[in-house]
Amino acid sequence: MSEASTPVDITRVDAEGAQHVADAVAREEPLEIRIEGRPVAITMRTPGHDLELAAGFLFTEGVIDGPDDLTAMAHVDDPSTPEGNTVDTILA
């Protein structure tokens, strides 16, 4: 399983009866997007590709015109948010 999914035990029922099997469900967690340390937005997402998601969000919101407007992007540690759920950007 990837970090984007979580294993769960389910009961699958069909014409032949019920079976207990393992399955995977998509994970969803918040992602805080910051610009130069200032919180801008929190969005829900399946973990993975967070930097691309943050860049796309900033582009669609009109904050940036393209990748040249970004100097740096990185996950940051913040005790007030779960580990890996905050991305900070530095604009050009």
Side-chain angles (χ1 to χ4, degrees):
M1 305 256 162
S2 72
E3 81 175 47
S5 63
T6 299
V8 294
D9 294 324
I10 65 167
T11 302
R12 182 169 284 141
V13 180
D14 59 22
E16 297 177 17
Q19 303 176 46
H20 296 285
V21 296
D23 203 352
V25 296
R27 287 181 43 212
E28 187 174 56
E29 294 182 1
L31 177 68
E32 180 176 302
I33 300 170
R34 297 179 181 178
I35 298 175
E36 299 173 8
R38 293 184 327 266
V40 174
I42 296 176
T43 187
M44 296 302 288
R45 91 315 186 188
T46 298
H49 304 285
D50 294 343
L51 301 182
E52 293 88 345
L53 174 64
F57 177 87
L58 295 174
F59 177 74
T60 60
E61 293 298 312
V63 175
I64 62 172
D65 292 324
D68 292 342
D69 291 338
L70 295 169
T71 300
M73 299 182 75
H75 282 99
V76 295
D77 291 329
D78 183 335
S80 68
T81 62
E83 184 178 339
N85 286 359
T86 304
V87 169
D88 199 2
T89 60
I90 306 296
L91 302 181

